[in-house]
Amino acid sequence: VADTFNWNNAGATANWSVTGVSGWNGPGVGYPDAADDVANLNLNITANRIVTINVTDATVGTLTMTDSTPSNS
């Protein structure tokens, strides 16, 4: 069963393993780690951002990266 995770952190840097308000918001607690998971990074991107993949099981089936305010992208 695929789970969908949405990235919440609009800050400049963060680790993939961060969950909750500062990272991934998805079903239960966790981060995208399965071949059929969906990872959405859809924020108002106002400057360069870095998400460090700091885990060995970071796996996704779909990765979507968009700017919610296109004039900033």
Side-chain angles (χ1 to χ4, degrees):
V1 176
D3 288 324
T4 299
F5 295 85
N6 297 298
W7 186 251
N8 294 316
N9 191 332
T13 63
N15 287 328
W16 189 268
S17 63
V18 175
T19 60
V21 176
S22 299
W24 294 108
N25 179 12
V29 176
Y31 51 85
D33 63 356
D36 55 353
D37 281 352
V38 176
N40 296 315
L41 289 92
N42 304 322
L43 296 169
N44 182 12
I45 302 168
T46 59
N48 293 337
R49 302 293 184 232
I50 298 170
V51 178
T52 301
I53 300 176
N54 66 324
V55 294
T56 59
D57 62 343
T59 305
V60 297
T62 302
L63 174 62
T64 304
M65 299 174 70
T66 59
D67 190 331
S68 63
T69 306
S71 61
N72 290 333
S73 58

